[in-house]
Amino acid sequence: MKSAICRFTFFGALILIVSFAIAAEPDSSSWPLDRCIDQALQSSAMFKAGRWSRQAAEAEYAENQSRLLPSLSANGSYAYTSETMHLNIATPPIPGYTAPEIKFGDGNVYDLNLNARIPIYAGGAQRQQAMAKHFAARAAGFDLQADSLRLLRDVRRAYFEVVAAETRLEAADNRVARLSRHLEEIESAKKIGTVSEEMRLTALAGLRAAEGEELRLSAAATAARLQLGNLVGLPDNEIKTAGELDSSLITEGDEDIMQRPELSAFDHRIMQAQRAAMAAKGSFLPSLNGAAAYHYGRPGINQVQNEWMDYYTIGLNASWTLWDFGARSHRVNTFRMTGNALNSSRESVEQFYRTMLAAARSAVSSAKPAVIKMQEHLNLQREILGLVEGRLQAGMATENEYLDAQDDLFTAETMWITATAALRTAEADLLYAQGR
C-alpha cells in the first residue's frame, strides 16, 4: 500500500514538473529581436555578397603577396627544323678518302626544364602594389560592416513595426471584446424591457465598426510580419514578435564619437590609392630578377653528339624603361587624383553622418516626452470611459456617449502606440548613426 502511494506521489510530482516546464517554455513561433537579427545576418543575400567581395579582395592581396616570392615553373617543348647546320672539313685530295661531314643535330629538338624566377628589385613597385591590395581588402571588410549596420537598422525598424501593428491589433481586439460584452448586456436588458431597440442597434453598429477596424489592422499586421519575414530571409513566412513596444533599444549612453565603417573604408581606399601611386612611381626605376633553370633535353648543348643530356643555367635579368611618352607619369597622376577625389568624398560622407547623428539624437529627445504625453492622455481616456460607464448604468448617459468614449479610448491607445513606435524607430536610427 505504501509503495503504491509512493509511486502515485512520484508520478504526480513528475507530471507537475513537466507541466511547469512546458508552461515556462517560450513560444517558438514568437521571435525575439536577437533571433531576427541572427537569422537576417545568416540569410541576407546582400550580406552574403559582401562576404564574397571581402574574400575576393583578401585573395587578391594574397596573390600580390605571392608575387614577391620566387616562382617555379615546369616546361616542355619539341621542335623540328627541316634544315640543320653542317660543317664540311676541307682536306687535300687523298685517293680513297672522303672528308667527313659534321652535322649539328638532326632537326629534332626536345627540351624539358624547370625554371625558377627570383624577384630581387623592382623599385618597390611590387611591394607597394601588395600593400595597395592589403588596404583594398581592409576596405572591403569595412564595407561588410557597413552592410551589417544597414541590415541591423532595417531589421530593428521592421521588427518594431510588427510589434506596433500587433499592439494596435490587440487594442482593436480588446475594444471588440468590450463592445461585445456591452451588446450582450443591452440585449439582456432589452428582453426585460429596460432599454429600447434604438440603443441595441446603436450598440450593434458600434460593434460592427470596431470589427471592421479590427479586420483592417489584422491585414496590416500580416503585411508587417511578411515584410519582416522577407527581411530575415524567410519570404512568404509571417514572423510573429516576442518583444514589447515599450522596451527601449538604447542600453548604453550615447557616445559622442563617429566610428562609422563607411569612413574607415574611405580611409583605407585613400591609403590604397597612395600605395598604388607609389607603386607606379617605382616603375621609373630599374628592375632586377634572378633566373635559374634546369634542362634535360636533346641535343642539349652538344649538338654534334646529339644525345640526351642535362644541364643548368643561372643568370640575372635587368630591365629599365627609359622612355614611354609619359605613360608612367600619367599613371601616377591618375592614382593621385583618385586619392584626392576619395578625400573629398570622405569629407562629404562624414558631414552627412554627423548631420544624421544630430538629427537622430534630436528625434529621440523629442519622441520621449511625446510618449509620456500620450501615456497621460491614455490614462485620462480610461478614467473618462469609467465615468461614462458609471453614468450609463445610472441612466444619465446615452449610448452614443458611451460609444464615443470607447472610440476615444481606442484613439488614445493608437496614438500611444504610434508615439512609442516612433520612439523605437528613432532609437534604431540613432544606433545606426552611432555605428552600433
Side-chain angles (χ1 to χ4, degrees), residues 33-34 156 160 247-255 368 424 427-428 430-431 434 436:
L33 178 58
D34 291 342
R156 286 165 176 162
F160 279 100
S247 299
S248 176
L249 289 172
I250 305 297
T251 57
E252 300 176 1
D254 294 349
E255 299 178 2
K368 287 180 179 179
R424 299 288 89 85
E427 289 175 347
L430 177 58
L431 290 175
Q434 291 175 338
R436 294 193 290 161

Side-chain angles (χ1 to χ4, degrees), residues 171-405:
D173 292 341
N174 292 335
R175 182 172 68 155
V176 169
R178 291 194 302 267
L179 293 176
S180 296
R181 289 193 301 268
H182 177 66
L183 179 61
E184 291 175 359
E185 294 172 356
I186 293 292
E187 291 176 343
S188 298
K190 184 178 181 300
K191 288 179 181 179
I192 60 177
T194 58
V195 299
S196 65
E197 176 66 12
E198 180 183 355
M199 289 183 64
R200 189 190 73 83
L201 292 177
T202 303
L204 181 60
L207 176 60
R208 293 294 180 262
E211 289 173 341
E213 182 67 11
E214 181 186 28
L215 292 174
R216 186 187 70 82
L217 292 176
S218 177
T222 299
R225 294 191 195 107
L226 288 171
Q227 180 62 30
L228 179 59
N230 179 68
L231 198 57
V232 301
L234 297 174
D236 302 327
N237 285 271
E238 293 187 38
I239 303 299
K240 297 181 180 180
T241 59
E244 297 291 338
L245 191 59
D246 54 358
S247 299
S248 176
L249 289 172
I250 305 297
T251 57
E252 300 176 1
D254 294 349
E255 299 178 2
D256 191 15
I257 55 175
M258 291 288 291
Q259 294 181 340
R260 299 292 312 180
E262 292 90 347
L263 299 180
S264 298
F266 267 108
D267 292 335
H268 284 77
R269 287 196 168 91
I270 290 170
M271 289 186 281
Q272 175 191 358
Q274 293 173 350
R275 295 289 183 164
M278 295 171 67
K281 289 177 65 176
S283 63
F284 286 99
L285 301 175
S287 64
L288 180 65
N289 296 292
Y294 170 79
H295 295 264
Y296 181 70
R298 176 177 174 234
I301 60 173
N302 192 340
Q303 297 185 9
V304 176
Q305 191 176 4
N306 197 23
E307 296 290 342
W308 288 90
M309 65 179 301
D310 60 334
Y311 61 97
Y312 63 88
T313 59
I314 298 176
L316 295 173
N317 181 20
S319 176
W320 192 359
T321 301
L322 300 178
W323 181 251
D324 59 357
F325 293 94
R328 291 168 295 174
S329 299
H330 294 315
R331 187 162 64 250
V332 172
N333 289 332
T334 297
F335 289 120
R336 284 177 177 172
M337 297 305 104
T338 300
N340 293 337
L342 289 171
N343 265 312
S344 299
S345 297
R346 188 197 183 282
E347 292 178 4
S348 176
V349 171
E350 181 177 354
Q351 292 174 2
F352 170 78
Y353 282 114
R354 287 191 181 277
T355 303
M356 176 189 291
L357 179 59
R361 284 176 175 165
S362 176
V364 171
S365 299
S366 61
K368 287 180 179 179
V371 172
I372 296 174
K373 295 297 182 182
M374 291 301 102
Q375 182 64 58
E376 293 176 355
H377 179 222
L378 177 58
N379 294 335
L380 291 173
Q381 287 300 143
R382 285 171 178 165
E383 292 182 12
I384 292 173
L385 178 61
L387 294 174
V388 173
E389 285 178 340
R391 289 197 299 114
L392 183 66
Q393 292 175 358
M396 300 176 64
T398 65
E399 184 66 23
N400 285 329
E401 287 180 310
Y402 176 75
L403 293 178
D404 289 342

Side-chain angles (χ1 to χ4, degrees), residues 105-119:
D106 57 3
N108 294 289
V109 178
Y110 306 87
D111 185 29
L112 304 175
N113 59 80
L114 291 175
N115 288 279
R117 178 183 175 276
I118 304 98

